Amino acid sequence: MTVVALLSVAPVREGDMAADVAAAVEALEDYDVEYETNPMATTIEAPDVETLLDAVGAAHAAVDADRVSTVLKIDDKRTADHDAAAKVRSVEAELGRPARSE
């Protein structure tokens, strides 16, 4: 089964956070997850919730700051196995076009 999640990890402070976000993303490499980062968050796919939560914990811990904010949204569809790409394809089928502006 594939668990899909949306993760955002960042220090709570002003200024450029790219290095901190990169550290969080790099921490995911040690886990059996697939991920894709966009400007607002990282989509993660894991084989199970336990693996996902371990990876998220490592990403959170990788940000070296006095205060860290982590937001996690989990889609654990237990009756079917749909990955993130399938979710996008389903929306695009309804739209009849790619799910992005041209």
Side-chain angles (χ1 to χ4, degrees), residues 8-21:
S8 175
V9 180
V12 179
R13 63 172 168 73
E14 293 295 321
D16 190 328
M17 294 181 246
D20 297 295
V21 172

Side-chain angles (χ1 to χ4, degrees), residues 88-100 102:
V88 173
R89 283 192 304 272
S90 180
V91 170
E92 289 178 338
E94 288 294 322
L95 287 170
R97 62 175 177 80
R100 60 183 170 274
E102 295 184 21

Side-chain angles (χ1 to χ4, degrees), residues 2-8 21-38 41-47 51-52 55-56 59 72 83-85:
T2 299
V3 178
V4 179
L6 185 69
L7 173 67
S8 175
V21 172
V25 170
E26 185 64 31
L28 300 174
E29 284 293 314
D30 293 334
Y31 296 86
D32 180 23
V33 298
E34 294 183 22
Y35 62 87
E36 182 176 345
T37 299
N38 66 54
T42 298
T43 301
I44 304 174
E45 296 179 60
T51 302
L52 173 73
V56 167
L72 176 64
D83 60 15

Side-chain angles (χ1 to χ4, degrees), residues 2-6 52 73-78 82 87:
T2 299
V3 178
V4 179
L6 185 69
L52 173 73
K73 181 177 181 180
I74 300 172
D75 182 358
D76 182 13
K77 189 170 184 179
R78 298 173 179 171
H82 296 289
K87 291 172 166 278

